[in-house]
């Protein structure tokens, strides 16, 4: 946790920003901590035309108590709905009118407000983001309108079986916990989020200790720090809020079915794994690639290419501060459900029994490293890398360090991590399907 001091009533001049730490991180990254706790991170990319700026808050759905479920996502929406200076339309025009783009997202552990434009428009992008974050009015009429908009967003997701099965799996993996609740909240919960409750939640939780600005592109770090320091005194000072740790007390497999009249069955098989701080994450990242991340993966080849049982099948690994999961998802004809489930479980078992061959591991490693390199050519992705690393670790991990660690993973480590996590008591199966019962599938997840 970063140290902080309360400079709320002290002006911070442009020429002399109040800085406690200025460090050169590996490669192109630099990080500065202002005295009030606000963090500034940059990736200098002088060859680029654009700049991407993100204003990050280390607040997401898992920080919310049950009665406030959906608050972070609701607040994200409301920051676009008008400030003392601009209407909602003028916010959009201020960025789009200079050829830029403006967006935001809320995840389990963070919220980000991001803008991108030509590098010489940096000051304008920053001013709009700061205006939204610091001066939003939370107009009562706009709150009621946006409440209905989010209800429509929730209804849209509920009409998408692929999304619905993800939420059902999360509730199965993390029952009665923030990680198991929808990021958007529910229509019922939204109705209880009054203006007063939202403003109080924002005041207590969106503070300097969990807020940072990340910028990537044709910029100069010290100039960026000077620009941000002009706004620093207006941020609410405070220590980073804490979330309730995940409970990993599952001792037997779980299966949940949501019956829905659909043309396909949507399957999601999830396993609790490790946190972003666990050294096993590197081996798990490579295992996921071999299992189902791309078209040359085992699941894609065995289920789709060899047998034609599904159009879409893939796996995804997610890492949180204290836990993680690996999820295999597929959309398929209900008649093919048992065959597909048998094949998925067979491929998982193969990883626990036999280390992957050298060629397969090399292809997976080269794929992951190549994806890192390709993604970081982009200023948006560099900005996201900065924000996620600083919020998640409190420092920047050099891409070269991560690639070096991936190259050190051997076949034995892949098998070891599969044995750690691919265990029956960790299995969670969620289905959105026209099936009315799923009794016959219990024997698969129990073996």
């Amino acid at each position: 946790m970063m140290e902080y001091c309360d400079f709320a009533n002290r002006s911070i001049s442009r020429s002399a920003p109040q800085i406690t730490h200025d460090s050169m991180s590996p490669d192109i990254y630099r990080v500065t901590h202002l005295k009030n706790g606000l963090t500034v991170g940059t990736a200098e990319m002088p060859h680029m035309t654009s700049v991407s700026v993100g204003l990050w808050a280390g607040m997401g759905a898992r920080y919310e108590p049950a009665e406030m479920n959906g608050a972070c996502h609701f607040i994200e929406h409301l920051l676009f709905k008008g400030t003392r200076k601009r209407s909602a339309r003028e916010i959009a025009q201020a960025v789009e009118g200079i050829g830029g783009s403006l967006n935001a997202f809320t995840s389990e552990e963070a919220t980000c407000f991001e803008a991108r434009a030509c590098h010489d428009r940096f000051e304008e992008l920053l001013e709009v983001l700061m205006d939204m974050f610091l001066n939003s009015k939370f107009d009562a009429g706009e709150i009621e309108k946006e409440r209905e908009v989010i209800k429509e967003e929730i209804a849209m997701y509920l009409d998408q079986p692929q999304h619905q099965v993800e939420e059902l799996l999360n509730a199965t993996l993390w029952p009665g916990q923030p990680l198991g609740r929808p990021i958007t909240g529910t229509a019922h919960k939204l109705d209880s989020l009054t203006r007063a409750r939202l403003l109080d939640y924002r005041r207590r939780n969106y503070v300097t200790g969990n807020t940072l600005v990340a910028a990537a592109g044709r910029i100069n770090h010290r100039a960026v720090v000077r620009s941000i320091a002009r706004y620093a005194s207006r941020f609410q000072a405070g220590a980073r809020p804490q979330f309730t740790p995940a409970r990993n007390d599952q001792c037997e497999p779980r299966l949940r079915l949501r019956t829905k009249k659909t043309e396909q069955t949507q399957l999601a098989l999830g396993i609790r794994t490790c946190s972003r701080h666990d050294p096993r994450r590197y081996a798990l990242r490579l295992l996921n690639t071999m299992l189902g991340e791309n078209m040359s993966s085992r699941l894609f080849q065995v289920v789709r290419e060899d047998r034609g049982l599904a159009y879409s099948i893939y796996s995804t690994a997610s890492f949180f501060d204290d836990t993680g999961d690996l999820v295999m998802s597929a959309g398929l004809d209900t008649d093919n459900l048992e065959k597909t489930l048998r094949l998925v479980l067979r491929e998982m078992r193969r990883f626990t029994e036999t280390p992957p061959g050298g060629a397969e591991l090399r292809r997976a490693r080269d794929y992951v490293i190549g994806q890192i390199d390709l993604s970081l050519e982009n200023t948006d992705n560099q900005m996201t890398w900065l924000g996620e690393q600083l919020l998640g670790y409190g420092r920047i991990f050099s891409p070269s360090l991560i690639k070096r660690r991936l190259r050190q993973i051997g076949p034995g480590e892949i098998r070891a991590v599969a044995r750690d996590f691919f265990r029956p008591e960790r299995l969670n199966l969620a289905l959105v399907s026209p099936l009315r019962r799923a009794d016959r599938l219990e024997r698969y997840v129990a073996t």
Side-chain angles (χ1 to χ4, degrees):
M1 184 180 296
M2 290 179 288
E3 297 181 358
Y4 69 98
C5 301
D6 187 357
F7 280 81
N9 298 314
R10 184 179 301 179
S11 63
I12 299 180
S13 70
R14 181 173 184 175
S15 59
Q18 300 295 311
I19 298 170
T20 60
H21 177 60
D22 189 352
S23 63
M24 176 68 78
S25 295
D27 299 331
I28 61 175
Y29 306 109
R30 295 187 69 178
V31 181
T32 293
H33 300 297
L34 304 183
K35 279 193 175 180
N36 69 341
L38 194 66
T39 299
V40 181
T42 63
E44 296 184 0
M45 306 170 72
H47 56 289
M48 301 299 290
T49 300
S50 66
V51 60
S52 294
V53 188
L55 207 169
W56 293 74
M59 282 299 299
R62 73 173 311 194
Y63 285 83
E64 300 164 349
E67 66 274 11
M68 294 299 292
N69 180 216
C72 293
H73 178 256
F74 203 163
I75 290 169
E76 174 216 311
H77 275 238
L78 291 174
L79 263 60
F80 285 84
K81 304 310 295 181
T83 70
R84 293 189 288 272
K85 180 178 179 180
R86 295 180 173 94
S87 66
R89 175 179 291 184
E90 289 168 339
I91 288 172
Q93 289 174 339
V95 175
E96 294 173 352
I98 59 173
S101 59
L102 181 66
N103 208 344
F105 64 84
T106 302
S107 67
E108 292 87 353
E109 296 185 340
T111 304
C112 176
F113 302 87
E114 54 186 336
R116 181 171 181 259
C118 191
H119 69 93
D120 59 355
R121 301 289 194 162
F122 168 77
E123 294 288 349
E124 293 156 272
L125 296 180
L126 180 64
E127 192 274 330
V128 173
L129 290 174
M130 290 294 182
D131 188 34
M132 292 169 59
F133 197 83
L134 297 170
N135 303 319
S136 286
K137 292 193 297 184
F138 281 62
D139 178 80
E142 293 294 342
I143 289 175
E144 294 312 309
K145 285 192 292 184
E146 206 60 25
R147 194 190 312 276
E148 297 307 311
V149 169
I150 297 174
K151 287 181 181 179
E152 290 301 318
E153 182 181 1
I154 293 170
M156 176 186 71
Y157 289 143
L158 292 177
D159 278 343
Q160 300 172 3
Q162 299 96 323
H163 185 91
Q164 199 171 16
V165 79
E166 290 176 9
E167 291 201 347
L168 183 62
L169 177 64
N170 288 337
T172 308
L173 276 164
W174 319 107
Q177 304 180 59
L179 283 174
R181 300 177 194 135
I183 291 172
T184 55
T186 64
H188 173 70
K189 290 292 184 184
L190 283 175
D191 286 336
S192 68
L193 296 178
T194 63
R195 181 177 188 271
R197 295 181 74 189
L198 289 167
L199 283 171
D200 179 66
Y201 189 79
R202 179 189 178 211
R203 178 187 58 79
R204 288 185 291 106
N205 293 291
Y206 291 68
V207 294
T208 55
N210 69 339
T211 305
L212 65 92
V213 181
R218 193 189 295 183
I219 50 171
N220 173 270
H221 177 78
R222 292 194 178 278
V224 169
V225 171
R226 286 196 298 271
S227 296
I228 293 167
R230 297 201 308 268
Y231 302 94
S233 64
R234 298 172 57 196
F235 281 78
Q236 179 74 35
R240 186 170 186 169
Q242 300 297 309
F243 57 81
T244 302
R247 298 192 310 274
N248 294 325
D249 53 3
Q250 183 180 356
C251 57
E252 61 182 7
R254 300 178 182 135
L255 188 157
R256 291 187 66 179
L257 167 68
R258 181 163 296 161
T259 300
K260 186 180 181 72
K261 189 176 180 181
T262 57
E263 293 297 319
Q264 283 189 317
T265 286
Q266 296 294 325
L267 172 156
L269 182 65
I271 301 159
R272 292 179 295 106
T273 59
C274 60
S275 79
R276 72 168 70 95
H277 306 288
D278 193 307
R280 293 175 294 178
R281 70 190 185 275
Y282 296 103
L284 190 61
R285 178 71 177 84
L286 294 176
L287 186 155
N288 177 68
T289 300
M290 289 181 278
L291 178 64
E293 186 171 343
N294 56 29
M295 289 192 296
S296 56
S297 66
R298 295 185 184 187
L299 291 183
F300 192 94
Q301 290 296 313
V302 169
V303 174
R304 173 172 162 156
E305 297 297 275
D306 293 350
R307 292 170 176 81
L309 296 176
Y311 170 73
S312 171
I313 183 162
Y314 57 92
S315 65
T316 307
S318 299
F319 303 99
F320 304 112
D321 192 68
D322 60 339
T323 189
D325 60 48
L326 190 149
V327 176
M328 290 142 280
S329 303
L332 43 90
D333 189 289
T334 303
D335 291 340
N336 293 328
L337 176 57
E338 289 192 57
K339 295 180 207 174
T340 302
L341 189 55
R342 278 198 300 268
L343 290 169
V344 170
L345 292 169
R346 187 193 76 179
E347 293 306 318
M348 294 170 62
R349 188 163 52 249
R350 282 182 60 207
F351 276 110
T352 68
E353 295 170 348
T354 308
E360 183 183 23
L361 179 55
R362 184 172 58 254
R363 287 193 300 269
R365 183 187 300 119
D366 289 348
Y367 174 82
V368 173
I369 290 173
Q371 291 298 299
I372 292 172
D373 288 338
L374 291 175
S375 69
L376 294 182
E377 288 183 338
N378 181 292
T379 59
D380 279 344
N381 290 338
Q382 282 281 7
M383 183 278 293
T384 301
W385 178 279
L386 280 165
E388 290 180 344
Q389 297 265 320
L390 287 170
L391 282 179
Y393 298 102
R395 56 167 289 191
I396 304 295
F397 281 94
S398 162
S400 58
L401 183 151
I402 292 173
K403 290 186 285 187
R404 184 166 62 252
R405 184 67 186 91
L406 288 167
R407 291 188 181 101
Q408 294 169 350
I409 300 296
E413 289 177 83
I414 302 295
R415 181 176 62 177
V417 81
R419 288 179 170 178
D420 284 346
F421 300 128
F422 289 179
R423 306 171 64 89
E425 67 271 18
R426 289 178 175 265
L427 292 179
N428 296 269
L429 176 61
L431 301 167
V432 174
S433 170
L435 286 174
R436 295 192 176 276
R437 298 174 63 89
D439 299 357
R440 70 177 190 270
L441 300 177
E442 291 178 357
R443 60 193 174 100
Y444 295 110
V445 295
T447 57

